[in-house]
Amino acid sequence: MLKRFTLITLILAAFTVTHAQNKIKPNRDTTELKPVIIKGYLSDQPVISVPASVSVLNAAQLRIQPDNSFVNALNTVPGVRTEERSPGSYRLSIRGSLLRSPFGVRDVKIYFDDIPLTDAGGNSYLNAIDIAAIQKVEILKGPDGSLFGANSGGVVILSPLNRYNDSTYISAGINGGSYGLFHEKAAVQLKTTNYLLNINQSFQTYHGYRQNSDTHRNYLQLADSWNYSGKNTLKALGIYSDLAYQTPGGLNLAQYTVNPRLARQPTATLPGAIQQRIGITTKMYLGGLTNEYHFNDHIRNVLAVFGNHVDFANPFITNYEQRSENTYGFRTYFELTGDKKPNLNWKVDLGFEWQQTNSHIANYGNKKGVKDTTQTVDYIHTNQHFVFARYAADVYKRLHIEAAVSLNDYGYDFKNLYPLNQNNFTNRNFSAQLMPRLALSYQFINALAWRASVSRGYSSPTTAEVRPTDNIVNTSLQAQYGWNYETGFRLRNSDETFMLDASVYYYRLNNAIVRRLNANETEHYINAGGTNQLGTEASLYYWIIRPNRYNFIRGLQLNESFTYSHFRFRDYMVTNANYSGNRLTGVPKNVFVSSLQIRFPESIALFVQHTFTSKIPLNDASTIYAPKYNLLQSRVSYQPTIGRKIRFEIFAAADNLLNQKYSLGNDLNAVGNRYYNAAPLRNYSVGMNFMY
């Protein structure tokens, strides 16, 4: 399959470069395609010249995927693995493993526009967000702490506004499907000369494929932008999310084989998931203001102030945890831009980000989903801040150079309220860390750009790792860090109908944080050696027949993505076991995603996507694997013309058409060999969308 992919890519690349060099002008009956622009590196930049591995999912790409979950859309990006062990329970990794993340999102920094969604304790409530309200996703792959603080995985930026749709409109949509799926959404956008208000509301429920997997979410999102003077803008952003979902728990191989729809079963010593009514509720309130002010044509400042509150509850097999978390902070940077010259354009950025999260964490006994006797109560105050600087220059419009560095500080204070009733906080500060990044790209011709970079990653332990479910604050846990070396190229044609992006990287991670399970199934975290992560990624999009208005095929687009991960443990010792040289747990070696979008007359469109995932090691010893699987999904839509201002769409979709039995979210190194969380078999959905 790899040889076939490579052959197709090379043939298409050769054809496209030839076509570009011939400078054939596009037919005037075809639709003009916009170049891909990213904003993640502080200002707008064409993706062709960015000296980093970045991927962009725009509004059109997000809408063609199911909008009930982030999983399908994010998994089209090479190097990204998103899992959903049960509906609403996300796990996300970029070029790495999920060994640190039995649930939740860690080791990846996520921003909602200019506001960190990741709190000072390192946790990101991505499952609180409705993807249907997101207009664009930018993914910056590899450690990028020089501008975004502590992370060794990468950065994800969620945009609530569509820069290409700044008109006034009202929209609504509804879809439903197998296993009790129902998703309703509505949005209104008001646009005047200097003002834009966008409000999104949604409700989603899903009963799930397995026992004890019901989920509900109410969601409200606001984005308000005011252009108060020239280029100067003030934005207000807000989110309210009320999410509740049940968690069925893992199955062993025998249970998974006989009946994958079962919830975790009781044993002679422990009750099961249904008996304990295990699940999670998360209420999140997030808000912030962002001001962009231009002092003149050369100096601008961006300032964001933000805060959020989270109420979290998790009745589990062995206990009942409640958390109340308050986060507040700000992020600001100044940018100085030099005069534009034929041989040199440059800019300098200098900024600062500060966050504090105050957590009240209490654990109780769990008596069939009801809080029982108090076990322990702790206060943890986590502080994370960093100063960053960047210099970027374009030399003769060919060579793009970036040099950036940040100085990161992290620490936490804690005290036990029960049973010790401590009066004073204990302080744990980590030494300040420099995180440099040096990158460059060179555009040989308009169609081809080569890039290379070296950067340092650093990821401090999260609050959930410092104070895990064994209820012991682990002050000995250290941060993980490493160096990433990368090179790659982008190849495109003149009319932006073709883009090939390929890269190879090597990330040497030290002091790796890994999760270990105790005999009573509580967890703790340790630093256990390191990893050698060698990987290759490639993505291709190609409008074989570019969008047009008169042919029978109104557009034919091919998308391909490929991920190869040669990840190995290094110096990895756990008690008396040596796992050095074993494959990194939870990481498939190969992932292929291929999709085809066909547009027909009468606004009929067909989308088909195939995903191949190779086998996945489930334990550190590499003795047990989840088998490889193939997923096939499709979507057909009809958008009849109703006047000039009304857009209406009816669609039907099918997922897992091959009826594959697979686990989308394995419990790694599971006690009792309960590795498997079965994903739904073949399932269907229908829906409609309306915009005026």
Side-chain angles (χ1 to χ4, degrees):
M1 185 175 290
L2 176 58
K3 292 181 179 179
R4 183 182 66 183
F5 173 86
T6 305
L7 180 61
I8 292 173
T9 299
L10 291 175
I11 292 172
L12 290 175
F15 169 79
T16 306
V17 172
T18 302
H19 180 76
Q21 291 174 342
N22 288 337
K23 298 181 180 180
I24 299 174
K25 295 182 179 180
N27 190 305
R28 62 184 178 182
D29 294 332
T30 59
T31 302
E32 188 71 21
L33 298 174
K34 297 180 176 67
V36 179
I37 302 293
I38 72 157
K39 190 180 178 181
Y41 288 102
L42 307 185
S43 57
D44 288 355
Q45 190 174 349
V47 74
I48 185 72
S49 61
V50 176
S53 289
V54 301
S55 294
V56 177
L57 298 172
N58 60 32
Q61 292 168 303
L62 292 173
R63 295 297 86 88
I64 205 167
Q65 296 285 346
D67 64 0
N68 306 307
S69 167
F70 275 94
V71 172
N72 289 79
L74 292 182
N75 281 344
T76 63
V77 177
V80 175
R81 181 163 181 82
T82 314
E83 298 183 345
E84 199 168 11
R85 294 189 309 154
S86 60
S89 180
Y90 291 146
R91 299 196 298 179
L92 171 66
S93 71
I94 302 177
R95 294 182 172 179
S97 173
L98 293 164
L99 276 176
R100 292 180 63 179
S101 307
F103 62 88
V105 178
R106 304 172 192 171
D107 203 25
V108 175
K109 192 77 176 284
I110 302 180
Y111 285 80
F112 182 74
D113 201 68
D114 291 305
I115 295 175
L117 186 66
T118 303
D119 63 27
N123 188 36
S124 305
Y125 291 101
L126 181 62
N127 55 356
I129 308 296
D130 186 354
I131 190 175
I134 299 301
Q135 301 299 317
K136 183 181 179 183
V137 180
E138 293 185 15
I139 300 171
L140 317 179
K141 292 181 283 188
D144 212 331
S146 59
L147 298 179
F148 303 101
N151 72 85
S152 60
V155 178
V156 176
I157 302 173
L158 308 175
S159 299
L161 294 174
N162 184 353
R163 63 186 297 160
Y164 298 116
N165 189 357
D166 60 356
S167 59
T168 294
Y169 66 81
I170 298 173
S171 68
I174 188 172
N175 69 78
S178 304
Y179 311 117
L181 171 66
F182 175 80
H183 189 187
E184 165 271 324
K185 58 186 178 181
V188 59
Q189 180 166 290
L190 303 175
K191 176 68 171 69
T192 63
T193 303
N194 298 316
Y195 184 77
L196 187 148
L197 173 66
N198 181 280
I199 301 174
N200 281 265
Q201 173 276 331
S202 67
F203 170 74
Q204 183 174 337
T205 184
Y206 181 51
H207 299 318
Y209 171 68
R210 298 178 62 196
Q211 298 174 345
N212 204 65
S213 60
D214 209 19
T215 182
H216 307 273
R217 180 176 57 213
N218 280 293
Y219 185 76
L220 184 64
Q221 175 182 296
L222 177 144
D224 189 10
S225 178
W226 173 38
N227 187 319
Y228 58 87
S229 173
K231 298 179 181 179
N232 303 324
T233 59
L234 177 65
K235 285 190 292 187
L237 301 172
I239 292 173
Y240 165 72
S241 179
D242 185 357
L243 171 67
Y245 60 92
Q246 298 173 324
T247 52
L251 301 176
N252 61 37
L253 182 59
Q255 295 164 343
Y256 175 70
T257 302
V258 173
N259 186 359
R261 302 190 68 170
L262 291 173
R264 173 175 167 167
Q265 297 297 288
T267 67
T269 56
L270 289 173
I274 295 176
Q275 290 76 20
Q276 288 292 76
R277 299 179 182 177
I278 66 174
I280 289 177
T281 59
T282 306
K283 285 188 178 181
M284 184 178 76
Y285 308 82
L286 179 146
L289 294 172
T290 302
N291 184 68
E292 180 173 346
Y293 185 79
H294 293 250
F295 295 91
N296 52 47
D297 291 339
H298 297 285
I299 303 175
R300 72 181 179 109
N301 171 255
V302 176
L303 169 65
V305 293
F306 52 85
N308 72 63
H309 171 76
V310 174
D311 287 318
F312 176 93
N314 177 205
F316 185 58
I317 296 292
T318 54
N319 63 40
Y320 190 120
E321 181 174 285
Q322 276 194 319
R323 301 201 303 258
S324 177
E325 301 168 339
N326 293 290
T327 299
Y328 47 92
F330 70 92
R331 175 179 171 88
T332 186
Y333 63 89
F334 287 87
E335 184 171 89
L336 172 64
T337 305
D339 292 323
K340 291 186 177 181
K341 298 179 180 179
N343 60 341
L344 179 65
N345 290 325
W346 61 267
K347 63 180 62 176
V348 174
D349 298 284
L350 179 65
F352 183 76
E353 180 178 309
W354 176 86
Q355 272 187 294
Q356 178 153 325
T357 299
N358 298 331
S359 304
H360 179 274
I361 308 174
N363 289 86
Y364 310 88
N366 180 17
K367 190 174 182 179
K368 298 182 179 180
V370 178
K371 288 189 298 183
D372 198 3
T373 308
T374 304
Q375 296 178 350
T376 185
V377 182
D378 292 297
Y379 269 140
I380 297 183
H381 298 166
T382 308
N383 185 285
Q384 191 169 134
H385 57 273
F386 61 96
V387 60
F388 61 91
R390 181 183 74 139
Y391 173 80
D394 289 305
V395 182
Y396 289 103
K397 299 181 181 180
R398 294 286 186 189
L399 177 64
H400 182 84
I401 302 171
E402 290 188 13
V405 66
S406 69
L407 181 63
N408 292 257
D409 277 290
Y410 171 77
Y412 59 87
D413 303 324
F414 66 94
K415 71 176 179 179
N416 181 263
L417 301 182
Y418 181 86
L420 301 181
N421 194 27
Q422 294 175 333
N423 293 319
N424 299 315
F425 282 91
T426 299
N427 179 259
R428 168 73 165 97
N429 281 328
F430 289 66
S431 59
Q433 297 288 321
L434 277 173
M435 297 178 66
R437 178 175 179 268
L438 179 63
L440 59 88
S441 70
Y442 187 79
Q443 202 160 342
F444 292 96
I445 56 175
N446 186 54
L448 177 63
W450 166 82
R451 66 182 183 273
S453 66
V454 57
S455 59
R456 185 175 188 263
Y458 170 81
S459 181
S460 50
T462 66
T463 300
E465 293 162 346
V466 169
R467 201 268 193 194
T469 58
D470 66 359
N471 301 338
I472 298 173
V473 177
N474 182 5
T475 58
S476 65
L477 192 62
Q478 303 294 321
Q480 63 182 30
Y481 62 93
W483 285 91
N484 184 71
Y485 308 89
E486 182 168 348
T487 187
F489 70 90
R490 294 185 180 95
L491 181 68
R492 67 175 181 179
N493 62 359
S494 59
D495 58 4
E496 299 287 341
T497 58
F498 171 90
M499 173 76 81
L500 171 63
D501 189 337
S503 62
V504 59
Y505 65 90
Y506 171 63
Y507 187 32
R508 182 180 172 87
L509 183 68
N510 301 294
N511 241 16
I513 298 173
V514 297
R515 174 184 182 240
R516 310 307 302 175
L517 288 169
N518 304 313
N520 64 354
E521 297 198 43
T522 60
E523 64 184 11
H524 66 281
Y525 291 82
I526 62 172
N527 298 106
T531 60
N532 294 332
Q533 299 175 200
L534 175 65
T536 301
E537 299 164 357
S539 64
L540 163 77
Y541 75 79
Y542 180 36
W543 282 98
I544 300 172
I545 300 176
R546 62 175 297 142
N548 64 85
R549 293 187 289 269
Y550 299 107
N551 298 332
F552 176 72
I553 301 296
R554 299 292 170 87
L556 175 61
Q557 185 188 41
L558 171 70
N559 282 272
E560 293 269 3
S561 78
F562 165 63
T563 305
Y564 171 73
S565 304
H566 185 84
F567 295 178
R568 295 291 186 270
F569 288 118
R570 186 190 73 252
D571 304 324
Y572 183 26
M573 298 287 297
V574 179
T575 59
N576 294 323
N578 185 353
Y579 299 130
S580 300
N582 288 359
R583 287 179 54 181
L584 192 55
T585 316
V587 180
K589 182 182 291 186
N590 296 304
V591 177
F592 292 86
V593 182
S594 306
S595 68
L596 200 63
Q597 180 185 170
I598 310 173
R599 300 179 183 178
F600 298 99
E602 306 300 330
S603 298
I604 296 173
L606 173 65
F607 175 76
V608 180
Q609 181 169 288
H610 170 257
T611 302
F612 167 78
T613 303
S614 62
K615 65 179 183 178
I616 303 171
L618 300 180
N619 61 358
D620 296 346
S622 290
T623 57
I624 301 176
Y625 287 80
K628 63 183 179 182
Y629 57 87
N630 290 273
L631 299 180
L632 184 64
Q633 68 184 86
S634 67
R635 183 182 191 270
V636 60
S637 63
Y638 172 50
Q639 299 183 40
T641 302
I642 307 175
R644 301 182 63 181
K645 295 184 177 181
I646 298 177
R647 293 173 55 190
F648 183 71
E649 179 189 37
I650 303 172
F651 67 88
D655 191 24
N656 196 4
L657 281 166
L658 302 177
N659 218 32
Q660 290 274 283
K661 185 177 182 180
Y662 71 105
S663 175
L664 183 59
N666 303 292
D667 292 340
L668 306 177
N669 295 314
V671 172
N673 296 326
R674 287 186 288 266
Y675 300 107
Y676 305 98
N677 292 277
L681 297 178
R682 188 182 297 118
N683 58 95
Y684 307 93
S685 63
V686 295
M688 55 184 171
N689 296 308
F690 166 86
M691 178 179 286
Y692 175 76

